[in-house]
Structures are given as structure tokens and as C-alpha cells.
């Protein structure tokens, strides 16, 4: 991937080991490249747009990325969540999300995905892009990072040297862990 920004901000490998996606650059012009590991070919994803936070589905040939216009006014500027099928080299589905997204995680069954956004986690249904639920933990600021349990049941967010956990299934929250 010698033609890319050397600052890699995210790497993901598909569940079948056929694909590698790399996100490059931080704020001014983030880009993403998709590499077919079997053939050794590389393509830029959504040229002309800001592309970030890629994630592969654990169950099918599906890559989720968040795109934004080349010029973004602020963190609340709407973005697009796009589902790309790398094997067929085509866009499968897309829908608008309400602002900056810092991480995407598919649920283990691949039927839903979570977007970690400024101060909230949103669960979406992959099949149609329907927003299923929004989780807003009771922290004192907008968080940028979150850890999600392997079964996508618990989310942990940092706050001033402590961690807060919340359960995505029932809304239970644990503070100051």
C-alpha cells in the first residue's frame, strides 16, 4: 500500500482471510484502501470522500465504512454508513448517521452493527439500516473510545481514569469500575 498516507489508523481482516482494509490519516483527508489478499490487488474506497472506521462482518463478505463529504463543517455533520461487498465490488446498502463515528462493530451473528459516536452508541439492523436503539451512558462528556465485549452485550467507556460499563440488552449501567 505504498501509495497511501503512511499513518495507518485502522486495519481489519475479513473473517474468510480474503480481504484487508486499511484506514489512513486522521483529520484532514482520511482514506481507506481495500486489498484482495489472494490476488494482491488494491483499490481506494469511495475516492473523493473522507472514509474511516472500517469493519468487516463476521458472517459474510460485507465491509462497513463511514463516509463524509470532503469538507465537513463540524462533528454533527451527517455521515453515511455504507455496506460494501468486496467479493462483488459493489455497494450493498447505505444510510445516513447523525454525525461523527469513531468505531463500528458488528454483532457476532452479523445481523446488527453498533456505531460508537460522540457520547452515544447506536445499534442498527444490517438488513435494512433501521436504527434499533440508542444508548447514552451517563458520563460527564462525549466519549470517543469504547470497548465492546465479544458477545456485544457490554460496552465500556472511559471517564477521567475510571470506566463505566453499560449493558446493551437491558440498559444496566455500572459506574467507576
Amino acid at each position: 500500500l505504498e501509495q497511501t498516507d503512511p499513518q495507518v489508523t485502522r486495519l481489519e481482516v475479513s473473517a474468510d482471510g480474503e480481504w484487508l482494509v486499511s484506514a489512513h490519516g486522521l483529520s484532514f483527508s482520511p482514506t481507506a484502501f481495500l486489498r484482495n489478499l489472494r490476488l494482491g490487488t488494491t483499490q481506494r474506497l469511495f475516492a473523493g470522500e473522507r472514509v474511516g472506521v472500517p469493519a468487516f462482518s463476521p458472517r459474510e463478505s460485507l465491509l462497513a465504512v463511514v463516509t463524509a463529504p470532503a469538507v465537513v463543517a463540524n462533528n454533527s455533520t451527517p455521515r453515511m454508513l455504507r455496506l460494501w461487498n468486496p467479493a462483488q465490488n459493489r455497494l450493498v446498502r447505505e444510510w445516513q448517521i447523525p454525525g461523527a463515528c469513531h468505531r463500528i462493530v458488528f454483532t457476532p451473528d452479523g445481523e446488527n452493527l453498533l456505531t460508537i459516536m460522540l457520547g452515544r452508541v447506536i445499534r442498527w439492523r444490517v438488513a435494512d439500516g433501521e436504527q434499533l436503539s440508542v444508548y447514552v451512558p451517563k458520563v460527564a462528556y462525549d466519549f470517543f473510545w469504547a470497548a465492546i465485549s465479544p458477545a456485544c452485550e457490554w460496552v465500556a467507556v472511559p471517564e477521567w481514569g475510571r470506566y463505566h460499563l453499560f449493558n446493551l440488552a437491558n440498559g444496566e449501567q455500572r459506574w467507576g469500575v
Side-chain angles (χ1 to χ4, degrees), residues 6 9 26 30 42 65 74 77 82 85 87 89 98 101 108 134 163 165 167 174:
T9 56
L26 288 173
T42 302
V65 297
N74 56 46
T77 300
R82 293 185 166 157
N85 182 316
N89 196 32
C101 180
V134 178
Y163 301 91
L165 289 105
N167 186 298
R174 298 180 188 168

Side-chain angles (χ1 to χ4, degrees), residues 10-142:
R10 185 107 174 134
L11 281 174
E12 290 279 331
V13 177
S14 63
D16 62 8
E18 292 273 328
W19 304 94
L20 170 74
V21 65
S22 58
H24 301 262
L26 288 173
S27 57
F28 295 111
S29 60
T31 57
F33 291 84
L34 182 64
R35 184 167 184 85
N36 182 316
L37 296 172
R38 188 172 41 81
L39 299 177
T41 57
T42 302
Q43 71 181 68
R44 182 173 177 173
L45 292 173
F46 305 106
E49 295 184 61
R50 300 163 53 99
V51 182
V53 298
F56 280 106
S57 169
R59 301 287 182 207
E60 61 183 311
S61 184
L62 198 60
L63 171 66
V65 297
V66 171
T67 64
V71 177
V72 175
N74 56 46
N75 281 336
S76 63
T77 300
R79 273 55 169 191
M80 295 300 290
L81 194 147
R82 293 185 166 157
L83 300 177
W84 183 262
N85 182 316
Q88 298 175 355
N89 196 32
R90 70 176 185 88
L91 183 66
V92 175
R93 188 169 301 104
E94 66 182 353
W95 61 87
Q96 188 170 317
I97 61 172
C101 180
H102 303 289
R103 186 170 177 207
I104 301 172
V105 178
F106 279 89
T107 56
D109 61 11
E111 292 182 12
N112 297 298
L113 58 82
L114 307 174
T115 53
I116 309 300
M117 307 182 75
L118 286 173
R120 64 187 177 257
V121 177
I122 302 176
R123 183 184 292 256
W124 308 89
R125 185 171 32 238
V126 171
D128 58 10
E130 181 180 342
Q131 180 178 309
L132 300 175
S133 51
V134 178
Y135 304 94
V136 181
K138 300 172 188 170
V139 294
Y141 70 101
D142 285 338

